Amino acid sequence: MISWSFIPWILQIPPLMCAFEISECYFSIKDFRRDGNVMIGAFFPLHYYYIVKKIPHKFLPNHYENLYLQYKFKNYQFVLALVFAIEEINRNPQLLPNTSLGFDLYNIPFSEKNTLMNAFIWLTGMSDVKANYNCKKERKSAAALTGTSFAISAHMGTLLQLYKIPQLTFGPFDTILDDRTQFTSLYQMAPKDTSLPLGIVSLMLHFKWTWVGLLLRDDHRGSQILSHLKDEMKKNGVCMAFVEMISGTLASFSDSFWKSVGRIQDSSANVIIIYGDTDSLQGLMKNIGQKLTTGKVWVMNSLWDVTNHLDYFMLDSFHGSLIFSHHYEEMVDFTHFIQKVHPSKYPEDTYLPKLWHLFFKCPFSRTDCKLLENCQPNASLDLLPKQNFDTAMSEESYYIYNAVYAVAHSLHEMIFKKVQIQQYENGEGITFLPWQLHPFLQNIHMNNHVGSHMLTHMKSKLDSKYDIINFWNFPKGIGLKVKVGSFSPNAPHGQQLSLTTNLIQWPTRFTEIPKSVCYKLCRPGFRRTIQKGKAACCFDCISCPYNEISNETDMDHCLKCPESHYANTEKNHCLQKTVTFLHYEDPLGMALSSIALCFSAITASVLGVFVKHRDTPIVKANNRALSYILLITLIICFLSSLLFIGQPNTATCILQQTTFGIVFTVALSTVLAKALTVVIAFKVTFPGRLMRWLMISRATNYIIPIFSLLQIILCGIWLGTSPPFVDQDAHAQHGHIIILCNKGSAIAFHCVLGYLCSLALGSYTMAFLSRNLPDKFNEAKYLTFSMLVFFSVWVTFLPVYHSTKGKVMVAMEVFAILASSAALLGFIFAPKCYIILLKPKKNVFHGIRDNTYYGRNNLN
């Protein structure tokens, strides 16, 4: 039965004396070897030693006790990729016939000193290295594979180029390593990250992350990516919450390192971009993992080991991370190969027994690194948890695979063309000098097993496509890397980023897509505005203006409601406005219509009284015909106000203004005629041919038709040029659309009104001039007061009318019509009705004979 219990990755090694006795297992210089006609030197970081507390050894100088060994089991896939590629090439009869490839595997220790030491051992074949000495019987070394960091490749490159030995690096692309004047023998297998900043910023824009932190290695690669990210972020409106350039390593942490960790944890940015390789910033990654910083979304490049920290139950700081990985073809054969890997298949491999011992509890000999017995024959690497070992080929393993094929194809081309090749000696294999491979490595086009076409010469490489990987590790131990999208820099604009958002698992703190912005989320009803003195991505939230809404979170602009709608109180939704007008059921409309009908009835009653008492002196003295005309006109005036009440239409809009203008013109013309009649009646006894002619010719009878005709012509011009029409007022009353009559031509309306005021002013003038005439019934005084009230009503009406809106404006016009009409009725006819009905004794001829002239009655 396979044990699924987690085994600590840290193994304590006995003191150095015991370790020396088992040095063949734990401290072997050459970790794994496969013989071949041509050998490749492989330098992989598989384990390292460190000292927790320096306790000097009792016997050996410069040595310490309490030495600890830590394995990087994920990197063991590099070894398997190397073995897989070499076995595949050796089985291929079309590639390197009669020639086999082999390899020498060396571990890359933690210190740079030991890195160069292993390189010297590989070059010279001597464990006790002496410069410029070579103990190898023959030169069969073709090239060296190095990685994973810039520092390892650069240090080894400085040494290897002295011997012109081809060096192929499988770590991330580096511009310094690409300098052919500085590294003449170095070839990088990884493509450039030219389009990575654009891809990361495109991801930020997709999720609307505008406030992000940057965590970079404090070296030239960190400075380069920072410059490119700044440019892309500035162009696309993404702001940096902080930039931390970390220089601390796994073994030593400075004060600035701990300050950086604190700033990361305290930052309001929920999204942090990390750029580095497997070795750089590894100490920071461990610290983040151990502190369970689960509230951040980490966006990183692919060359990271996000599981290289201590285990905590269920939780993982890097669960939900998004990783940009260079796209490469899936290699199913490699996965099948790993499933068949077993210590018994590769007895020379010293790492496999350790894996079986740690994960499957197999008995293990510390003397020769061999399993003591065949335990659990069904044990396989694909049974290990994903966070410990992944059977799917990683990006770095893919570059190792391609590097081996690059060497193989170069050798094949060199043999085929017989360029500077020595003859086989004693059938033992080909002899050549490593530098002879350079022309072929620089120019060869390589087709590997999966069909990828690549050019080894990095200058000809194009920007590659990126896969976007989501890291699933909740509960901790799953260790899945799920492809959720891709970024293609050469795709049309707008189609470069492709994401399947519903596949993404976010950190456990978030239940939906995380937000990373420099402000509190602006809820619906508010919009964002830039904060003064802060970054362009930092906003305040302000309420939407009048009749504008925002129905989504974090809107930059509010949306104006249509004319037929209005914003609700929360300003997050537009509501349909209610259509209204001054209708009869409205309290104001009901009151005005009742008043109009009552005054019409009163006027009709007065007319009836005058008709009934038409032969009495008071009716005769006030010109019966003019009184009848004025009373009938007033009835129409009162009833015309009803045209303003109810739902307007085209007919009522036209009748409102024309009826109002013409009827009031008739009424005021009648009043003017009455006032002029009074003046003529009292002036006729004075000498003067004009007054006598006016009385005899009855010129006052032509006042009404002449002045009314002028108003009719004015109204006709109004209707012919810009007639009134039905209109809607959506702004006068909140939440309502008021249907009313638009005057059409405001000039024509004011001309009609001005004409009426002119008639009123003329009537007032005539009545005022005759106020002191000896009239028994004070006709001139009553006319004066009626015109004064009429004139006051309409002069007051104009400013009030223009200061009101909607139904109130219509009601003001109705009120002006009713008030002015009531003034004419009250001041002119109320005193007469009072005498006729209540003081009939005064309504006799002899009661007025002493104060008036008999001839005056002939005017009736």
Side-chain angles (χ1 to χ4, degrees):
M1 179 65 67
I2 297 175
S3 175
W4 285 98
S5 61
F6 288 118
I7 308 299
W9 289 11
I10 307 297
L11 298 178
Q12 184 172 1
I13 304 301
L16 189 59
M17 183 63 71
C18 296
F20 180 79
E21 295 176 356
I22 57 173
S23 61
E24 288 299 323
C25 177
Y26 281 97
F27 296 102
S28 61
I29 295 174
K30 190 176 298 181
D31 296 283
F32 190 5
R33 176 182 174 85
R34 172 71 59 85
D35 287 328
N37 300 124
V38 180
M39 302 295 289
I40 297 176
F43 299 86
F44 298 157
L46 300 175
H47 64 264
Y48 60 87
Y49 309 102
Y50 66 96
I51 301 170
V52 176
K53 184 178 180 180
K54 291 186 177 181
I55 301 177
H57 196 269
K58 298 178 181 179
F59 307 109
L60 300 177
N62 300 325
H63 289 81
Y64 301 94
E65 297 182 357
N66 290 349
L67 185 66
Y68 285 79
L69 171 68
Q70 178 162 336
Y71 286 101
K72 296 182 178 180
F73 288 119
K74 276 191 172 291
N75 290 357
Y76 182 67
Q77 192 188 93
F78 302 164
V79 180
L80 297 180
L82 175 66
V83 175
F84 174 69
I86 288 181
E87 289 185 355
E88 194 175 69
I89 291 170
N90 289 339
R91 289 194 306 267
N92 187 355
Q94 305 299 323
L95 185 61
L96 291 178
N98 302 320
T99 302
S100 62
L101 282 181
F103 64 86
D104 288 319
L105 176 64
Y106 292 86
N107 177 61
I108 298 292
F110 187 70
S111 66
E112 297 172 357
K113 171 187 175 182
N114 292 335
T115 298
L116 293 179
M117 179 63 69
N118 283 348
F120 270 114
I121 293 173
W122 176 68
L123 288 171
T124 64
M126 304 168 59
S127 58
D128 186 10
V129 178
K130 292 181 174 60
N132 296 324
Y133 280 80
N134 184 7
C135 293
K136 289 185 176 181
K137 295 181 180 180
E138 54 191 20
R139 284 188 176 273
K140 294 190 297 185
S141 299
L145 301 183
T146 63
T148 54
S149 67
F150 159 79
I152 293 174
S153 297
H155 284 292
M156 294 193 67
T158 304
L159 174 65
L160 293 176
Q161 72 180 0
L162 296 176
Y163 301 92
K164 297 183 179 180
I165 297 177
Q167 177 188 1
L168 291 85
T169 67
F170 57 90
F173 186 88
D174 193 284
T175 54
I176 293 181
L177 297 180
D178 198 42
D179 184 1
R180 304 302 296 173
T181 60
Q182 187 174 356
F183 296 97
T184 58
S185 301
L186 191 145
Y187 303 90
Q188 299 187 74
M189 304 308 298
K192 296 180 180 180
D193 279 331
T194 307
S195 59
L196 181 61
L198 177 60
I200 292 176
V201 172
S202 298
L203 182 70
M204 303 295 111
L205 296 177
H206 179 82
F207 291 113
K208 299 180 180 180
W209 294 333
T210 58
W211 188 242
V212 298
L214 267 64
L215 189 56
L216 311 171
R217 176 74 175 178
D218 191 8
D219 57 13
H220 65 283
R221 295 185 71 238
S223 300
Q224 288 174 357
I225 197 69
L226 175 61
S227 176
H228 296 155
L229 279 172
K230 277 185 175 180
D231 292 341
E232 289 295 336
M233 294 169 74
K234 184 177 181 180
K235 287 190 294 185
N236 293 277
V238 181
C239 298
M240 291 181 290
F242 62 86
V243 178
E244 294 297 334
M245 308 294 288
I246 306 298
S247 57
T249 61
L250 182 62
S252 62
F253 301 118
S254 61
D255 292 338
S256 61
F257 171 85
W258 295 114
K259 291 179 181 179
S260 298
V261 173
R263 283 192 288 268
I264 294 169
Q265 293 175 332
D266 298 338
S267 173
S268 60
N270 291 326
V271 177
I272 299 177
I273 300 170
I274 304 179
Y275 184 84
D277 53 43
T278 302
D279 294 335
S280 64
L281 304 185
Q282 198 60 246
L284 180 65
M285 300 291 281
K286 281 182 173 291
N287 188 276
I288 291 173
Q290 292 172 6
K291 289 184 178 297
L292 291 178
T293 312
T294 57
K296 306 295 183 182
V297 178
W298 309 97
V299 179
M300 58 189 74
N301 59 320
S302 59
L303 302 178
W304 280 97
D305 182 7
V306 294
T307 62
N308 193 15
H309 54 270
L310 298 179
D311 289 325
Y312 291 90
F313 177 68
M314 294 188 69
L315 296 178
D316 180 41
S317 299
F318 298 99
H319 169 72
S321 298
L322 295 172
I323 304 170
F324 278 79
S325 173
H326 288 286
H327 176 75
Y328 55 90
E329 300 296 331
E330 182 180 1
M331 302 191 63
V332 180
D333 292 345
F334 179 71
T335 303
H336 295 161
F337 167 78
I338 288 182
Q339 293 172 351
K340 298 177 182 179
V341 170
H342 194 272
S344 60
K345 186 177 180 180
Y346 300 102
E348 67 274 22
D349 186 354
T350 61
Y351 283 95
L352 279 176
K354 299 169 188 175
L355 285 170
W356 254 249
H357 171 67
L358 291 174
F359 291 103
F360 303 118
K361 299 296 185 181
C362 295
F364 178 71
S365 172
R366 295 179 180 269
T367 303
D368 56 2
C369 294
K370 302 292 184 182
L371 297 179
L372 295 179
E373 60 185 44
N374 188 11
C375 67
Q376 301 183 15
N378 60 339
S380 176
L381 292 175
D382 65 334
L383 298 177
L384 298 180
K386 296 291 184 180
Q387 69 167 358
N388 294 333
F389 190 86
D390 195 351
T391 58
M393 180 175 277
S394 67
E395 185 176 339
E396 290 167 310
S397 297
Y398 181 74
Y399 298 149
I400 293 173
Y401 177 85
N402 283 336
V404 175
Y405 263 90
V407 174
H409 277 276
S410 298
L411 283 169
H412 182 84
E413 190 71 16
M414 185 177 64
I415 294 172
F416 181 77
K417 293 186 177 182
K418 297 182 180 181
V419 178
Q420 298 180 349
I421 299 178
Q422 298 179 4
Q423 297 297 321
Y424 289 81
E425 297 178 358
N426 300 324
E428 294 182 358
I430 186 174
T431 59
F432 66 94
L433 296 175
W435 62 265
Q436 294 174 333
L437 283 177
H438 284 300
F440 302 96
L441 284 172
Q442 292 173 1
N443 299 305
I444 192 169
H445 286 70
M446 181 192 64
N447 289 287
N448 62 22
H449 180 71
V450 296
S452 296
H453 184 72
M454 62 175 293
L455 185 63
T456 307
H457 193 10
M458 291 297 110
K459 288 185 179 179
S460 301
K461 281 192 174 181
L462 299 176
D463 288 341
S464 64
K465 178 180 178 180
Y466 289 91
D467 292 332
I468 300 177
I469 308 298
N470 187 214
F471 181 61
W472 296 3
N473 203 27
F474 180 81
K476 189 171 177 67
I478 296 177
L480 295 179
K481 293 183 178 180
V482 181
K483 180 180 177 181
V484 295
S486 62
F487 178 77
S488 302
N490 298 319
H493 182 71
Q495 303 177 18
Q496 296 172 317
L497 182 69
S498 174
L499 277 178
T500 307
T501 307
N502 57 348
L503 284 181
I504 300 177
Q505 288 194 11
W506 301 108
T508 52
R509 168 188 168 188
F510 302 105
T511 57
E512 56 183 12
I513 297 176
K515 301 288 186 182
S516 188
V517 292
C518 180
Y519 55 91
K520 294 182 179 178
L521 299 182
C522 293
R523 65 179 187 271
F526 292 81
R527 68 175 180 88
R528 303 188 304 182
T529 182
I530 297 177
Q531 295 182 7
K532 293 183 178 180
K534 293 189 177 181
C537 300
C538 297
F539 302 98
D540 283 327
C541 297
I542 61 172
S543 179
C544 288
Y546 173 77
N547 207 38
E548 293 186 12
I549 66 164
S550 61
N551 52 7
E552 296 179 3
T553 304
D554 289 340
M555 292 187 65
D556 293 322
H557 304 283
C558 296
L559 305 176
K560 190 174 183 63
C561 289
E563 290 292 332
S564 58
H565 291 71
Y566 68 98
N568 60 350
T569 306
E570 292 78 16
K571 295 184 178 180
N572 59 4
H573 188 65
C574 288
L575 303 177
Q576 182 75 38
K577 288 184 178 180
T578 303
V579 178
T580 185
F581 48 87
L582 186 61
H583 52 80
Y584 291 103
E585 291 77 11
D586 188 272
L588 184 58
M590 186 180 297
L592 292 175
S593 58
S594 300
I595 293 172
L597 293 174
C598 289
F599 274 110
S600 299
I602 293 172
T603 307
S605 300
V606 172
L607 178 60
V609 171
F610 266 59
V611 172
K612 182 178 180 181
H613 299 86
R614 60 185 176 277
D615 295 326
T616 59
I618 193 169
V619 175
K620 289 183 178 182
N622 284 277
N623 197 326
R624 285 179 298 187
L626 293 178
S627 296
Y628 295 158
I629 294 173
L630 182 57
L631 288 170
I632 294 172
T633 304
L634 288 176
I635 294 174
I636 299 174
C637 285
F638 286 121
L639 294 177
S640 68
S641 62
L642 300 178
L643 293 172
F644 294 85
I645 304 174
Q647 183 170 359
N649 53 56
T650 304
T652 55
C653 286
I654 293 175
L655 289 175
Q656 279 180 7
Q657 307 306 328
T658 55
T659 304
F660 157 74
I662 295 172
V663 172
F664 261 84
T665 300
V666 174
L668 292 176
S669 300
T670 305
V671 173
L672 179 60
K674 288 177 67 67
L676 187 58
T677 302
V678 174
V679 173
I680 293 174
F682 283 98
K683 294 291 184 179
V684 71
T685 56
F686 299 155
R689 300 177 61 182
L690 179 60
M691 292 300 170
R692 191 176 298 273
W693 176 82
L694 289 174
M695 180 186 68
I696 296 173
S697 63
R698 297 183 177 273
T700 55
N701 295 338
Y702 299 101
I703 292 177
I704 297 175
I706 292 173
F707 284 102
S708 299
L709 181 60
L710 292 176
Q711 186 69 291
I712 292 173
I713 294 173
L714 187 58
C715 290
I717 296 173
W718 182 6
L719 297 179
T721 55
S722 180
F725 57 91
V726 180
D727 196 7
Q728 295 181 351
D729 187 353
H731 308 286
Q733 188 174 354
H734 181 69
H736 293 80
I737 297 178
I738 301 175
I739 301 178
L740 44 75
C741 290
N742 191 299
K743 300 297 186 296
S745 174
I747 297 176
F749 170 72
H750 288 91
C751 288
V752 169
L753 196 60
Y755 184 75
L756 293 176
C757 291
S758 299
L759 289 177
L761 184 61
S763 300
Y764 172 78
T765 303
M766 294 301 297
F768 181 79
L769 293 176
S770 61
R771 69 188 184 283
N772 295 323
L773 296 177
D775 185 0
K776 177 69 175 178
F777 305 107
N778 297 319
E779 177 75 2
K781 293 180 180 179
Y782 298 144
L783 291 175
T784 302
F785 281 115
S786 65
M787 288 299 97
L788 183 61
V789 173
F790 182 93
F791 192 74
S792 300
V793 167
W794 285 103
V795 169
T796 307
F797 161 78
L798 285 175
V800 177
Y801 178 81
H802 288 290
S803 63
T804 55
K805 299 291 183 181
K807 293 191 298 183
V808 179
M809 183 175 67
V810 179
M812 280 301 304
E813 190 169 359
V814 174
F815 176 79
I817 293 173
L818 295 177
S820 56
S821 301
L824 293 177
L825 177 65
F827 283 101
I828 295 176
F829 294 100
K832 280 76 175 176
C833 291
Y834 174 76
I835 294 175
I836 293 172
L837 297 176
L838 300 178
K839 300 290 183 178
K841 294 181 178 181
K842 293 185 178 182
N843 191 13
V844 292
F845 179 73
H846 61 80
I848 63 172
R849 185 170 51 186
D850 296 336
N851 296 313
T852 60
Y853 294 91
Y854 180 76
R856 198 169 24 167
N857 290 327
N858 292 331
L859 295 173
N860 296 327

